[in-house]
Amino acid sequence: MRIHQALLMAGLLAAVSLAAAQTTSKVVATVNGENITEQQMLQTASADLSKLDANRPQPQAAYERAKLEVHWKALNSIIEDKLIAAGAARSKMTREELLNAEVESNVGTPSAEEVEQFYEANKAQISIPKAQALPQVRQYMIDSSGRRY
């Protein structure tokens, strides 16, 4: 009975130690007092890291640089999400409402005349009928806002 209890205690201690080790990950950034751990970053980067490993660039330095870029992209994504969430909470809005208010509403929508002018200026490069092309031209102009046509 004592051996059984000792084994049970040893197993529990090992499980607690393992759980503690898994939850304590190196902090790589802090946003508004909230830590972002290396484990979170790696989890966010996992799909991109898998793709990178599948198409491993040579030499090793190129691979390490690409891996670092994947880590930065993942970290920036987490930071962006936390900042958007904090901004939404401050404004008492949902994430989607905040993005709409701050981003979507500031994107210029081209007028029908501007879309028509753009189409006419570029119709030689467009291979679909005008009726199908105009909505796509409008979306292209919205996606490229800030450019001069």
Side-chain angles (χ1 to χ4, degrees):
M1 182 76 169
R2 268 192 175 230
I3 294 174
H4 180 66
Q5 285 179 337
L7 287 174
L8 183 61
M9 287 301 287
L12 267 161
L13 185 57
V16 169
S17 297
L18 180 61
Q22 289 176 345
T23 59
T24 56
S25 181
K26 179 179 164 188
V27 174
V28 293
T30 303
V31 177
N32 293 332
E34 190 177 342
N35 292 336
I36 300 171
T37 65
E38 184 177 31
Q39 182 179 356
Q40 289 171 303
M41 180 187 65
L42 292 174
Q43 184 177 3
T44 300
S46 65
D48 288 337
L49 288 172
S50 293
K51 288 178 192 172
L52 178 64
D53 286 340
N55 300 308
R56 192 178 180 111
Q58 293 296 328
Q60 182 66 21
Y63 171 74
E64 292 299 327
R65 179 175 172 80
K67 188 175 170 184
L68 183 61
E69 288 173 3
V70 169
H71 288 170
W72 274 110
K73 178 183 164 193
L75 182 59
N76 284 330
S77 174
I78 295 169
I79 291 169
E80 183 180 285
D81 286 345
K82 289 186 180 301
L83 291 174
I84 290 170
R90 268 193 312 277
S91 301
K92 295 183 172 90
M93 298 177 167
T94 66
R95 184 182 199 289
E96 292 74 25
E97 290 170 336
L98 178 69
L99 288 174
N100 187 42
E102 296 295 325
V103 178
E104 300 297 329
S105 65
N106 292 321
V107 174
T109 303
S111 68
E113 295 84 26
E114 291 171 318
V115 173
E116 183 75 31
Q117 288 172 355
F118 185 92
Y119 173 82
E120 290 299 325
N122 296 284
K123 69 181 174 184
Q125 301 168 12
I126 301 173
S127 61
I128 59 175
K130 183 176 180 178
Q132 289 178 321
L134 290 179
Q136 292 178 20
V137 167
R138 176 182 301 279
Q139 189 59 51
Y140 172 79
M141 292 175 76
I142 291 169
D143 292 346
S144 305
S145 67
R147 294 185 190 164
R148 286 297 212 200
Y149 305 104

